[in-house]
Amino acid sequence: MIKIQIDNIQQRKQEYTDALTDLVAFRVSVFHQSLSHLNGVVVDFTTGHFASFRPVTKNIFEIVGDEVNMPNGRDGYINTINNYLAAPNLLANINIAGLIQFCDDMLANNNQQLSELLVCEAADLMNHSETILNNNGLNTAANIAVIKLAFDYTKYNADISSHIREYFREREFVKFCPYCNTKTAHHNLNVDGEVVDSYELDHFYDKARYPLLSYSLFNLVPSDHTCNVTNKGVTQFTDKYHINPHLSGYIDQIKFVPVGLNPAYDVDRIEMEISEAQGSVLYKKINGNNPPATELGELGNLNVFKIRSKHCGEKHRARTILKTLDTNNSYRKHIKKYLQSLNGLNIKDSYKKWYEKELNVCFNSINFNDKAYSKFSRDIHDHYYSKNRTVMNRYIIELIDEH
């Protein structure tokens, strides 16, 4: 998994809140109106959004477990509310007062807390969500199900999902899936405006269980369909057993290693080495509770996204890389003195440009999301020079240590 690198992060966060805050605030205000009606506030259609809060109220009835017939029209809505509140009902299954306070808090001071939720840092997402729920007495399944009505992607007039997709597409934070670094994760159109390539936005913490994080910038991961739907599916990610690529990757903690090399650089198989101690905090995020070579279960990013299996067949790619490096290394022997005689030549930059052009990958880890198999290729490259640490390769060894 590759860390998502976002340049000008404060500006990007401001752009995100500018694009979404008012839309989400509208949802929360509609939600607030519906809750207020169920709390006995007289319905005022002159300041409300009847077409929006009517279905919210109807859904709340269903969530608490009441079967209520909701006729069409404003008079029918008012009569339904009055009759419902006058009769025994199951509203006690949710915390109406806490839900209303939650809405007030989100909308206060020009939606300040709502804006903060939208751009909450990746490391604080879970704690931020739980703090909001606990402070308002809402950490129950029924209350969370009701809150989801305000954080649904497509319901109740404002299609927030299209604005989120537009934001990510315009900025293109990654071009390849950060989970696997093998499939595209960017949006590409042809000259006629038709979609050529696209991607999906994975909710790192799933929106069904953590609805408050449904729109949060750093809970959304551009990923390919296989990683998001086939591999992850409904797996519930946690901070204990999974890594959010907005927070970090495992650049140094895992390595792809070619095994069974012969003088012709034929490769028997690709294995993965994990440098973290088994049972450590980071190891659990990488590989769950499995032994290092085991790919099993839903704990650890390696296992969820089948990273070993996706790379184990790349023997030919590894051989090509090794042969290319070996040929280039032999060639440099003949021009070493000439290169050293050129004043002002940046040999390291020249080498990186050669590497990236020849292998069509990125050398620096900060750019790995721009090219497929960049992490894999760089590990094979580093493995080659770990076995060939000669004086003439000193500047390449320095490059490896620097990046």
Side-chain angles (χ1 to χ4, degrees):
M1 187 188 72
I2 314 301
K3 185 181 187 302
I4 298 174
Q5 308 284 348
I6 299 180
D7 295 331
N8 303 317
I9 187 65
Q10 294 305 319
Q11 178 182 337
R12 300 299 177 230
K13 289 165 69 173
Q14 186 61 55
E15 292 168 351
Y16 193 73
T17 56
D18 289 346
L20 290 188
T21 299
D22 288 345
L23 294 172
V24 182
F26 171 79
R27 289 279 192 89
V28 175
S29 66
V30 168
F31 183 53
H32 185 276
Q33 286 178 295
S34 178
L35 292 166
S36 297
H37 300 161
L38 294 176
N39 203 39
V41 173
V42 175
V43 180
D44 182 358
F45 294 109
T46 64
T47 60
H49 302 272
F50 177 63
S52 298
F53 64 66
R54 178 187 178 278
V56 174
T57 305
K58 186 174 184 295
N59 282 326
I60 292 176
F61 289 148
E62 295 172 357
I63 290 170
V64 300
D66 282 320
E67 295 184 8
V68 178
N69 180 34
M70 177 74 77
N72 294 324
R74 298 184 176 189
D75 290 342
Y77 180 84
I78 292 175
N79 290 334
T80 298
I81 295 294
N82 291 338
N83 293 336
Y84 178 77
L85 295 178
N89 58 64
L90 296 176
L91 273 183
N93 288 341
I94 60 174
N95 182 356
I96 287 283
L99 289 164
I100 291 174
Q101 185 60 54
F102 158 77
C103 294
D104 289 336
D105 292 343
M106 289 291 106
L107 300 176
N109 300 318
N110 196 29
N111 312 314
Q112 180 180 343
Q113 288 196 34
L114 182 57
S115 296
E116 292 172 355
L117 178 63
L118 291 176
V119 292
C120 176
E121 298 295 337
D124 299 327
L125 284 168
M126 182 61 67
N127 181 63
H128 195 66
S129 174
E130 291 182 350
T131 297
I132 292 173
L133 295 175
N134 290 332
N135 286 349
N136 293 284
L138 303 176
N139 207 354
T140 67
N143 286 311
I144 291 172
V146 172
I147 287 176
K148 186 181 176 184
L149 298 176
F151 288 82
D152 189 281
Y153 251 48
T154 57
K155 289 184 179 178
Y156 317 123
N157 292 356
D159 180 11
I160 294 175
S161 63
S162 63
H163 293 273
I164 293 176
R165 287 194 296 270
E166 181 181 4
Y167 172 88
F168 274 88
R169 288 171 181 173
E170 288 180 350
R171 286 148 189 86
E172 198 174 67
F173 298 130
V174 303
K175 294 182 180 179
F176 289 85
C177 176
Y179 287 131
C180 68
N181 195 221
T182 64
K183 303 285 184 64
T184 57
H186 64 119
H187 193 70
N188 186 27
L189 305 178
N190 64 15
V191 293
D192 296 317
E194 300 169 325
V195 176
V196 177
D197 290 314
S198 192
Y199 62 91
E200 299 179 359
L201 284 174
D202 170 49
H203 286 77
F204 184 80
Y205 297 116
D206 67 276
K207 57 184 180 292
R209 191 177 179 190
Y210 305 102
L212 289 180
L213 304 178
S214 294
Y215 308 137
S216 294
L217 173 60
F218 299 114
N219 192 45
L220 297 167
V221 179
S223 58
D224 77 276
H225 178 82
T226 299
C227 283
N228 185 31
V229 176
T230 306
N231 296 150
K232 184 182 179 186
V234 296
T235 301
Q236 293 183 350
F237 272 18
T238 67
D239 181 58
K240 181 177 181 180
Y241 283 111
H242 304 94
I243 302 174
N244 184 338
H246 280 293
L247 184 59
S248 66
Y250 34 64
I251 302 302
D252 297 322
Q253 289 77 26
I254 69 165
K255 298 289 184 182
F256 294 102
V257 178
V259 176
L261 294 178
N262 61 28
Y265 290 108
D266 294 321
V267 178
D268 284 345
R269 63 188 184 278
I270 304 296
E271 292 185 353
M272 296 192 68
E273 292 181 352
I274 304 175
S275 61
E276 284 292 308
Q278 187 171 353
S280 69
V281 171
L282 185 53
Y283 183 96
K284 291 179 180 179
K285 295 174 186 285
I286 295 172
N287 204 41
N289 297 319
N290 292 339
T294 302
E295 181 180 272
L296 181 67
E298 298 180 341
L299 305 182
N301 285 42
L302 290 184
N303 304 306
V304 173
F305 299 111
K306 313 302 178 191
I307 301 301
R308 297 177 185 81
S309 296
K310 287 177 179 177
H311 291 81
C312 67
E314 296 297 332
K315 296 183 294 183
H316 178 72
R317 186 185 300 272
R319 181 181 187 275
T320 299
I321 295 169
L322 292 166
K323 288 285 290 181
T324 301
L325 295 173
D326 192 57
T327 300
N328 185 61
N329 193 44
S330 299
Y331 175 71
R332 280 198 315 276
K333 294 177 183 178
H334 301 291
I335 64 169
K336 178 186 175 185
K337 291 182 179 180
Y338 173 70
L339 288 173
Q340 290 174 337
S341 70
L342 296 177
N343 294 326
L345 176 66
N346 191 321
I347 300 178
K348 292 182 181 180
D349 283 348
S350 297
Y351 179 78
K352 284 194 293 185
K353 290 177 182 178
W354 169 85
Y355 171 91
E356 293 179 345
K357 180 180 180 181
E358 287 294 317
L359 301 180
N360 192 31
V361 294
C362 294
F363 187 87
N364 293 349
S365 61
I366 196 172
N367 303 122
F368 279 176
N369 279 316
D370 290 343
K371 294 284 188 176
Y373 292 97
S374 286
K375 164 65 174 168
F376 176 88
S377 302
R378 178 59 193 277
D379 284 351
I380 302 301
H381 169 277
D382 291 2
H383 178 82
Y384 173 86
Y385 279 104
S386 72
K387 306 300 182 182
N388 296 276
R389 298 181 73 92
T390 61
V391 175
M392 72 184 64
N393 299 328
R394 174 181 52 79
Y395 67 90
I396 299 179
I397 302 303
E398 290 176 356
L399 266 178
I400 293 173
D401 293 338
E402 291 171 4
H403 302 280

